[in-house]
Amino acid sequence: MKSYDAFLRYVLARAPKPCPQRVAVESALGRLLLDSVRAQVRDPAELRSAMDGYAVRHRDLKGAGKDTPVTLAAVGLSQAGPVPEKHLLPGQAHRIMTGAPLPAGADTVVQIERVRVTNRRVIFRAQPSRGAFVRRPGENFRKGALLIKRGTLMRAQEIGLCITAGVRHIEVARRLKVGVLATGNELVGPARRLRRGEVYDSNRPMVLALVAEVGATAVDLGVVQDDPTLLLRAVRRWTKQLDCLLTIGGVSMGDFDVVKQVLGDFPGVRLVKIAMKPAKPQAFGLLGDMIWYGLPGNPVSAMVAFDRFVRPILLRGMGRRAVHRPQHTGVLTTGIRKSTPLREFARAYAWQKGGTWYVRKVGPEGSSNLRSMVNANALLILPETARRIPRGARVRFELQAEPPAPLGS
Ligand code: AMP
Ligand code: MG
């Protein structure tokens, strides 16, 4: 039996190297930047107004005060948008909107609320500071400035900043292409009435969803029967086209665990028993350049194995350095009796109150029952050496995605 930590190190060391790909900025959400982004243009491009008001020459308003008003002639109207260059002569005030370029000669903007306008005359009763409410060229950033460092995950704001800076294409890590193949004679599609012995193939859509959640491209490879020839044919067909093949089922001790029989013969493939619960039997290997990961068939085991190993491998292969979920410490609200010397990942529900995390184990037990995963928003991480963990003990856990609010609430 292999220790959990040793197996995790083993598989992570074999994660694919991220491949660069040039993409349009608009389609880069969730991708990891492999090359830093520099501004192609400065922002703003020219002097612009930061307010709706009047563009003036600062010099013209010298001495303006409550009892010493200054009156300028109202001329023109500038709104944001492409406009011909205008000139402001001494004694004039130019009506201007937020974002519009300042007319040549103007250096200051006075807010509309601060003036009185009568009969094409604008009356000022205060002296603004020079350059007030004016955005200067390059004030946000200069051309060539380093805006986003490589290694950054592209969010909405990074996309916006790239576009502001005149950047159209960026270099990101290519999405890995991940095939999902279910195995088992008992599996049938969702629309069928079940006959005796049949089971809906729930793992395949579930694992496809997990792959999509990680940001990789999920490829549905269907179901293959428990037949070595058929399985081998399916695997051969996909080796050259995928970065990673995930099979589901057939890796445990049963007589018909064909995944194990077929792939176990390939050099570079390891069938392992990992000192963990759930998901003890798993398989991992390289078929040429393709990673093959054999997830266990029980739904809870498949999900936990994906979360612990496949998710970090895929994230690493798409350039991420932090591939593990952040761990929290919480107060256990129900005692736990641990019966094995294994690293256990217990389905749990965690919540925060007054700045403290609380966490309780959720059921039902058994790795074939997905209802426990539906009740859970976290995985409790119980060390190998732990046996009795009393109520009130501090325990480590990782949050999974928050469950959506129940319908009708
Ligand atoms: P196996 O590891 O193939 O022996 O599968 C273990 C258990 O998981 C069996 O009860 C299978 O019926 C079930 N199982 C395997 N694959 C799937 C699947 N794709 N969807 C739902 N249940 C499955
Ligand atoms: Mg099976």
Side-chain angles (χ1 to χ4, degrees), residues 170-344:
I170 55 173
E171 194 129 304
V172 295
R174 182 172 68 79
R175 282 184 202 284
L176 294 179
K177 207 168 155 189
V178 181
V180 178
L181 180 69
T183 70
N185 293 349
E186 74 278 30
L187 302 178
V188 293
R192 276 250 314 262
R193 201 193 163 110
L194 290 180
R195 291 182 310 203
R196 192 175 154 75
E198 287 180 338
V199 170
Y200 289 126
D201 173 15
S202 55
N203 281 347
R204 186 164 43 102
M206 188 176 81
V207 174
L208 285 165
L210 291 172
V211 171
E213 235 172 49
V214 166
T217 304
V219 186
D220 186 353
L221 307 182
V223 184
V224 71
Q225 300 279 300
D226 288 322
D227 173 322
T229 318
L230 293 178
L231 177 63
L232 200 55
R233 193 183 301 162
V235 171
R236 285 243 160 84
R237 180 165 159 227
W238 289 104
T239 18
K240 292 244 152 12
Q241 302 176 54
L242 297 172
D243 297 298
C244 178
L245 169 67
L246 301 178
T247 54
I248 305 162
V251 287
S252 50
M253 302 302 287
D255 290 348
F256 301 99
D257 284 334
V258 291
V259 176
K260 192 173 129 180
Q261 292 165 22
V262 168
L263 291 166
D265 289 342
F266 279 76
V269 167
R270 299 205 28 192
L271 302 163
V272 276
K273 279 215 173 67
I274 307 160
M276 66 185 282
K277 186 184 165 188
K280 202 190 284 172
Q282 297 180 44
F284 172 86
L286 292 167
L287 305 180
D289 290 335
M290 183 184 75
I291 282 184
W292 168 56
Y293 203 100
L295 294 167
N298 272 316
V300 173
S301 308
M303 252 195 118
V304 171
F306 185 97
D307 184 73
R308 307 318 302 170
F309 303 107
V310 180
R311 183 178 177 275
I313 294 172
L314 298 181
L315 288 177
R316 178 76 34 102
M318 291 187 292
R320 297 269 276 273
R321 250 162 287 168
V323 297
H324 301 298
R325 297 183 193 278
Q327 288 195 358
H328 305 276
T329 302
V331 177
L332 190 68
T333 64
T334 46
I336 294 177
R337 256 208 153 125
K338 194 165 158 281
S339 56
T340 71
L342 308 172
R343 176 86 54 102
E344 286 194 21

